């Protein structure tokens, strides 16, 4: 998923980005609140990790502007403030969750998973789609109860993208926006390559990924009827 980290402490921001990138997410770092606000006016992301003490525009002001635009992107606040009044205000202003610094990276990952899962409409980290079971905690995929061939982090994220947009046509540009960060320059055939790899690993599953020439891809779950 595409994640934007808005954090002006470069060392911490880079550490967060490296950790989330290693899980297959497309992650970008901005250290200025005003720059982040300008970006978010025209660029959508799946999750925002937001520090409060930012130059240009505070994290709280950025959050307020985001919600005033009726942008419902999940926001996880990273804060050194631990007073209950501060947390209540952040949640009332539209934050979806918060994490107090210093924090454990394992907890950060878990909170990111929870917010991304909710954005896709799932109540649990383990979900079933026809004969396919997806475990987002372990990043494993099972088909008819059997573990699939080793699936890379980026292939797993691509699977999540398709499962989160079943029945909807996704262009290559949309998939690229979710799968890569701003600094990456994937080749012209990168999406075809990843889709091809994913199809091979899901060949026995109920997920079909159809190519619409010149338009993009559409994924569907086609469970065989009981009479078949």
């Amino acid at each position: 998923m595409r994640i934007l980290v808005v954090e002006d402490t470069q060392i911490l921001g880079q550490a967060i980005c490296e950790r989330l990138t290693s899980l297959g997410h497309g992650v970008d770092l901005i250290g200025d609140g005003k720059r982040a606000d300008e970006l978010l006016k025209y660029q959508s992301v799946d999750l925002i990790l937001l520090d409060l003490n930012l130059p240009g525009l505070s994290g709280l002001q950025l959050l307020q502007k985001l919600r005033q635009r009726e942008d419902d992107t999940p926001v996880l606040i990273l804060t050194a403030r631990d007073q209950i009044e501060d947390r209540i205000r952040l949640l009332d202003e539209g934050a979806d969750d918060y994490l107090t610094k210093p924090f454990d990276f394992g907890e950060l990952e878990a909170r990111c998973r929870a917010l991304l899962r909710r954005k896709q409409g799932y109540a649990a980290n383990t979900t079933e789609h026809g004969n396919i079971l997806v475990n987002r905690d372990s990043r494993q995929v099972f088909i008819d109860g059997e573990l699939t061939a080793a699936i890379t982090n980026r292939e797993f994220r691509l699977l999540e993208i398709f499962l989160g947009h079943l029945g909807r046509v996704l262009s290559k540009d949309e998939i690229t926006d979710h799968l890569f960060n701003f600094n990456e320059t994937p080749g012209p055939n990168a999406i075809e390559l990843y889709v091809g790899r994913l199809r091979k690993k899901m060949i026995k599953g109920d997920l079909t990924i159809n190519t619409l020439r010149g338009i993009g891809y559409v994924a569907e779950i086609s469970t065989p009827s009981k009479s078949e």
Side-chain angles (χ1 to χ4, degrees):
M1 301 293 132
R2 172 66 69 81
I3 300 175
L4 178 64
V5 179
V6 190
E7 168 64 64
D8 68 330
T9 303
Q10 191 72 12
I11 293 176
L12 176 59
Q14 289 288 358
I16 294 172
C17 289
E18 290 174 8
R19 185 72 175 243
L20 296 177
T21 298
S22 71
L23 300 177
H25 297 291
V27 189
D28 297 285
L29 174 64
I30 293 181
D32 181 278
K34 189 172 182 179
R35 284 181 53 222
D37 183 54
E38 290 300 318
L39 172 74
L40 290 167
K41 287 179 181 178
Y42 65 86
Q43 176 67 55
S44 63
V45 297
D46 297 299
L47 174 64
I48 301 169
L49 305 189
L50 181 60
D51 182 32
L52 289 181
N53 298 317
L54 296 167
L57 198 68
S58 74
L60 178 58
Q61 290 173 317
L62 176 56
L63 174 64
Q64 291 170 334
K65 286 179 175 290
L66 198 69
R67 296 309 185 224
Q68 286 168 5
R69 294 195 295 268
E70 297 185 353
D71 187 328
D72 62 356
T73 302
V75 175
L76 171 60
I77 298 290
L78 306 177
T79 176
R81 304 175 189 176
D82 58 2
Q83 296 298 313
I84 187 66
E85 294 83 3
D86 292 324
R87 285 178 268 174
I88 290 172
R89 185 183 182 192
L90 290 169
L91 293 171
D92 283 343
E93 290 289 351
D96 296 272
D97 199 358
Y98 63 87
L99 195 55
T100 304
K101 299 177 183 179
F103 51 78
D104 178 81
F105 275 96
E107 183 178 3
L108 175 67
E109 290 177 21
R111 290 181 182 271
C112 288
R113 281 197 302 270
L115 291 174
L116 289 169
R117 181 190 73 217
R118 290 176 206 159
K119 180 178 173 65
Q120 293 182 321
Y122 301 129
N125 275 331
T126 300
T127 56
E128 294 185 32
H129 312 267
N131 67 344
I132 302 166
L133 185 144
V134 179
N135 187 318
R136 289 168 176 78
D137 289 327
S138 62
R139 297 187 295 284
Q140 291 180 316
V141 180
F142 299 81
I143 297 177
D144 289 326
E146 294 186 7
L147 184 65
T148 62
I151 188 167
T152 68
N153 284 328
R154 189 150 276 170
E155 291 165 356
F156 186 85
R157 298 308 169 200
L158 179 59
L159 174 62
E160 284 191 302
I161 291 169
F162 281 127
L163 291 176
H165 299 85
L166 290 172
R168 179 188 158 194
V169 177
L170 294 173
S171 68
K172 290 182 183 179
D173 287 342
E174 285 182 282
I175 296 173
T176 299
D177 285 345
H178 285 288
L179 206 56
F180 299 93
N181 62 39
F182 298 134
N183 296 323
E184 291 181 290
T185 53
N189 298 320
I191 299 302
E192 290 97 327
L193 178 64
Y194 281 114
V195 170
R197 290 176 178 173
L198 183 61
R199 277 178 175 145
K200 288 181 181 178
K201 294 179 180 180
M202 304 299 295
I203 194 168
K204 294 182 180 179
D206 290 335
L207 176 71
T208 58
I209 305 171
N210 297 308
T211 302
L212 304 178
R213 295 294 177 188
I215 301 176
Y217 301 91
V218 60
E220 297 177 320
I221 296 294
S222 52
T223 306
S225 66
K226 294 180 179 180
S227 61
E228 293 181 339

